[in-house]
Amino acid sequence: MQVAFILSNGIRMRKSGFTLLEVLIALVILSVAFSAIFLALSASTKQLIYLRDKTAAQWVGLNAIAKVQLQQIAQNGSAEGIENQMQTNWHWQVRLTPTPDKNTFLITVVVTPEGRITGSTTLQGYLFRGIQNEKN
């Protein structure tokens, strides 16, 4: 915006620049834009942390299922333990449940970050113990 000034000696001077109101409006627009960007980054960070934890919990659960299938744990129907994954200790619990097929068992694994009650992940798999020869 240009503003004209008339000096005491009659000379006209023009100054160009922004008025205080224009500067304040620009600052308000910038602050709203930066606030929106900050909120978007904050939500993105929370989602990233959630996905990291969910991935680690699923890895721990899949490891537990593999150990059951390799007959390293849960021979009596249940087991539990702690595993470190991604700098976090995870508490896992395994439960074997019979299915209608007497040779197949449902493996249920519940994984929770150690020291927390919320944020558990449940995975399921199957264990096939082979066909038993039955004599008539």
Side-chain angles (χ1 to χ4, degrees), residues 38-77:
F38 177 75
L39 289 174
L41 287 175
S42 175
S44 176
T45 302
K46 286 179 185 177
Q47 188 67 19
L48 182 66
I49 292 169
Y50 168 78
L51 290 174
R52 181 201 62 198
D53 287 349
K54 192 74 165 175
T55 300
Q58 288 182 347
W59 286 347
V60 169
L62 290 173
N63 286 344
I65 289 173
K67 287 177 184 177
V68 169
Q69 291 171 338
L70 292 171
Q71 298 180 357
Q72 293 177 353
I73 59 170
Q75 297 303 310
N76 62 352

